[in-house]
Coordinates of all heavy atoms in Angstrom, one line a residue:
A743 N 124.3 -40.8 52.2 CA 124.5 -42.1 52.2 C 123.6 -42.9 51.3 O 123.9 -43.9 50.6 CB 124.1 -42.7 53.6
A744 N 122.3 -42.3 50.9 CA 121.5 -43.0 50.0 C 122.1 -43.0 48.6 O 121.7 -43.8 47.8 CB 120.1 -42.3 50.0
E745 N 122.9 -42.0 48.3 CA 123.4 -41.9 47.0 C 124.7 -42.8 46.8 O 125.0 -43.3 45.8 CB 123.8 -40.5 46.6 CG 122.6 -39.6 46.6 CD 123.0 -38.1 46.3 OE1 124.2 -37.8 46.2 OE2 122.1 -37.2 46.2
S746 N 125.4 -42.9 47.9 CA 126.7 -43.6 47.8 C 126.6 -45.2 48.0 O 127.4 -45.9 47.7 CB 127.7 -43.0 48.9 OG 127.2 -43.2 50.2
K747 N 125.5 -45.5 48.7 CA 125.4 -47.0 49.0 C 124.0 -47.5 48.4 O 123.0 -46.8 48.5 CB 125.3 -47.2 50.5 CG 126.7 -46.9 51.1 CD 126.8 -47.2 52.7 CE 128.1 -46.9 53.3 NZ 128.2 -47.3 54.7
P748 N 124.0 -48.7 47.9 CA 122.7 -49.2 47.3 C 121.7 -49.3 48.4 O 122.0 -49.8 49.5 CB 123.2 -50.5 46.7 CG 124.4 -50.8 47.4 CD 125.1 -49.5 47.7
T749 N 120.4 -49.1 48.1 CA 119.4 -49.2 49.0 C 118.8 -50.7 49.0 O 118.9 -51.2 48.0 CB 118.2 -48.3 48.7 OG1 117.8 -48.5 47.4 CG2 118.6 -46.8 48.9
P750 N 118.4 -51.2 50.2 CA 117.9 -52.6 50.2 C 116.6 -52.7 49.3 O 115.9 -51.7 49.2 CB 117.6 -52.9 51.7 CG 117.5 -51.5 52.2 CD 118.4 -50.6 51.5
P751 N 116.3 -53.9 48.8 CA 115.1 -54.0 48.0 C 113.9 -53.9 48.8 O 113.9 -54.2 50.0 CB 115.3 -55.5 47.4 CG 116.2 -56.1 48.4 CD 117.1 -55.1 48.9
K752 N 112.8 -53.4 48.2 CA 111.6 -53.2 49.0 C 110.9 -54.5 49.2 O 111.0 -55.4 48.4 CB 110.7 -52.3 48.1 CG 111.1 -50.9 48.0 CD 110.1 -50.1 47.1 CE 110.6 -48.7 46.9 NZ 109.7 -47.9 46.1
P753 N 110.2 -54.7 50.4 CA 109.5 -56.0 50.6 C 108.4 -56.2 49.7 O 107.7 -55.3 49.2 CB 109.0 -55.9 52.1 CG 109.0 -54.5 52.3 CD 110.1 -53.8 51.4
P754 N 108.0 -57.5 49.4 CA 107.0 -57.7 48.4 C 105.6 -57.4 49.0 O 105.4 -57.4 50.2 CB 107.0 -59.2 48.1 CG 107.7 -59.8 49.3 CD 108.7 -58.7 49.8
K755 N 104.6 -56.9 48.1 CA 103.3 -56.6 48.5 C 102.6 -57.8 49.0 O 102.7 -58.9 48.3 CB 102.6 -55.8 47.5 CG 103.2 -54.5 47.1 CD 102.4 -53.8 46.0 CE 103.1 -52.4 45.7 NZ 102.3 -51.7 44.6
P756 N 101.7 -57.6 50.0 CA 100.9 -58.9 50.4 C 99.9 -59.2 49.3 O 99.4 -58.4 48.6 CB 100.2 -58.4 51.7 CG 100.2 -56.9 51.6 CD 101.4 -56.5 50.8
P757 N 99.5 -60.5 49.2 CA 98.6 -60.9 48.1 C 97.2 -60.4 48.3 O 96.8 -60.1 49.6 CB 98.6 -62.4 48.2 CG 99.1 -62.7 49.5 CD 100.0 -61.7 50.0
A758 N 96.4 -60.1 47.4 CA 95.0 -59.7 47.5 C 94.2 -60.7 48.1 O 94.4 -61.9 48.0 CB 94.6 -59.2 46.1
P759 N 93.1 -60.4 48.8 CA 92.1 -61.3 49.4 C 91.5 -62.2 48.3 O 91.4 -61.8 47.2 CB 91.1 -60.5 50.0 CG 91.7 -59.1 50.2 CD 92.7 -58.9 49.1
P760 N 91.3 -63.4 48.6 CA 90.8 -64.4 47.5 C 89.5 -64.0 47.0 O 89.3 -64.2 45.8 CB 90.6 -65.7 48.4 CG 91.4 -65.6 49.6 CD 91.5 -64.2 50.0
S761 N 88.6 -63.3 47.7 CA 87.3 -62.9 47.2 C 87.4 -61.7 46.2 O 86.4 -61.5 45.4 CB 86.3 -62.6 48.3 OG 86.9 -61.5 49.1
A762 N 88.4 -61.0 46.3 CA 88.5 -59.8 45.5 C 89.1 -60.2 44.1 O 90.0 -61.0 44.0 CB 89.4 -58.7 46.1
K763 N 88.6 -59.5 43.1 CA 89.1 -59.7 41.8 C 90.4 -58.9 41.6 O 90.4 -57.6 41.9 CB 88.1 -59.3 40.8 CG 86.8 -60.2 40.7 CD 85.9 -59.7 39.5 CE 84.7 -60.6 39.5 NZ 83.8 -60.2 38.4
T764 N 91.4 -59.6 41.3 CA 92.7 -58.9 41.2 C 93.1 -58.7 39.8 O 92.8 -59.6 38.9 CB 93.8 -59.7 41.9 OG1 93.8 -61.0 41.4 CG2 93.5 -59.8 43.4
I765 N 93.7 -57.6 39.5 CA 94.2 -57.4 38.2 C 95.7 -57.5 38.2 O 96.3 -57.0 39.1 CB 93.8 -55.9 37.7 CG1 92.3 -55.7 37.7 CG2 94.4 -55.6 36.4 CD1 91.8 -54.4 37.4
E766 N 96.2 -58.2 37.3 CA 97.6 -58.5 37.3 C 98.3 -57.3 37.2 O 98.2 -56.6 36.2 CB 98.0 -59.6 36.1 CG 99.4 -59.9 36.1 CD 99.7 -60.9 35.0 OE1 98.7 -61.3 34.3 OE2 100.9 -61.2 34.9
A767 N 99.2 -57.0 38.2 CA 100.0 -55.8 38.2 C 101.2 -55.9 37.1 O 101.7 -57.0 37.0 CB 100.5 -55.5 39.6
E768 N 101.3 -54.8 36.5 CA 102.4 -54.7 35.5 C 103.7 -54.6 36.3 O 103.8 -54.0 37.3 CB 102.2 -53.5 34.6 CG 101.1 -53.6 33.8 CD 101.0 -52.5 32.8 OE1 101.8 -51.5 32.9 OE2 100.1 -52.3 31.9
P769 N 104.8 -55.2 35.9 CA 106.0 -55.1 36.6 C 106.5 -53.7 36.7 O 106.2 -52.9 35.8 CB 107.0 -55.9 35.7 CG 106.3 -56.0 34.4 CD 104.8 -55.9 34.6
E770 N 107.1 -53.3 37.8 CA 107.6 -52.0 38.0 C 108.6 -51.7 36.9 O 109.4 -52.5 36.6 CB 108.2 -51.9 39.4 CG 107.1 -51.9 40.5 CD 107.8 -51.7 41.9 OE1 109.1 -51.4 41.9 OE2 107.1 -51.8 42.9
T771 N 108.5 -50.4 36.5 CA 109.5 -50.0 35.5 C 110.8 -49.6 36.3 O 110.8 -49.6 37.5 CB 109.0 -48.7 34.8 OG1 108.8 -47.7 35.7 CG2 107.7 -49.0 34.1
S772 N 111.7 -49.4 35.4 CA 113.1 -49.1 36.0 C 113.2 -47.7 36.4 O 114.4 -47.3 36.6 CB 114.2 -49.5 34.9 OG 114.0 -48.8 33.7
A773 N 112.1 -47.0 36.5 CA 112.3 -45.5 36.9 C 112.9 -45.4 38.3 O 113.6 -44.4 38.6 CB 110.9 -44.8 36.9
D774 N 112.6 -46.4 39.2 CA 113.1 -46.3 40.5 C 114.5 -46.7 40.6 O 115.2 -46.3 41.5 CB 112.3 -47.3 41.5 CG 110.8 -46.8 41.6 OD1 110.5 -45.6 41.4 OD2 109.9 -47.7 41.9
A775 N 114.9 -47.5 39.6 CA 116.4 -47.9 39.6 C 117.2 -46.8 39.0 O 116.9 -46.3 37.8 CB 116.5 -49.2 38.9
A776 N 118.3 -46.3 39.7 CA 119.0 -45.3 39.1 C 119.8 -45.7 37.9 O 120.3 -46.9 37.9 CB 120.0 -44.8 40.2
E777 N 119.8 -44.9 37.0 CA 120.6 -45.3 35.7 C 122.1 -45.1 35.9 O 122.5 -44.2 36.6 CB 120.2 -44.3 34.5 CG 120.9 -44.7 33.2 CD 120.5 -43.7 32.1 OE1 119.7 -42.8 32.4 OE2 121.1 -43.8 31.0
F778 N 122.8 -46.2 35.6 CA 124.3 -46.1 35.8 C 124.9 -45.1 34.9 O 124.8 -45.2 33.7 CB 124.8 -47.5 35.5 CG 126.3 -47.6 35.7 CD1 126.8 -47.9 37.0 CD2 127.3 -47.4 34.7 CE1 128.2 -47.9 37.2 CE2 128.6 -47.4 35.0 CZ 129.1 -47.7 36.2
V779 N 125.7 -44.2 35.6 CA 126.4 -43.1 34.8 C 127.8 -43.3 35.1 O 128.2 -43.2 36.3 CB 125.9 -41.8 35.2 CG1 126.7 -40.7 34.4 CG2 124.4 -41.6 34.9
L780 N 128.6 -43.6 34.1 CA 130.0 -43.9 34.4 C 130.7 -42.8 35.1 O 131.5 -43.0 36.1 CB 130.8 -44.1 33.1 CG 132.3 -44.5 33.1 CD1 132.6 -45.6 34.0 CD2 132.8 -44.7 31.7

C-alpha cells in the first residue's frame, strides 16, 4: 500500500525554544520523495 498510494505529508517540527540559538535548517532534499519513473 505504501508503494501504490501516496503517503500523507509529515507534520511540521515544533519551533525551537526562544532562549536557544537556532540554526536555520536547510530544506529537506528530495531524497525522501520518490523519483517519478514512467
Side-chain angles (χ1 to χ4, degrees):
E745 297 177 359
S746 60
K747 294 184 179 180
T749 56
K752 296 180 180 179
K755 295 181 179 180
S761 59
K763 293 183 179 180
T764 59
I765 301 176
E766 185 177 355
E768 296 181 358
E770 294 185 0
T771 61
S772 60
D774 295 337
E777 181 182 1
F778 181 84
V779 180
L780 176 61

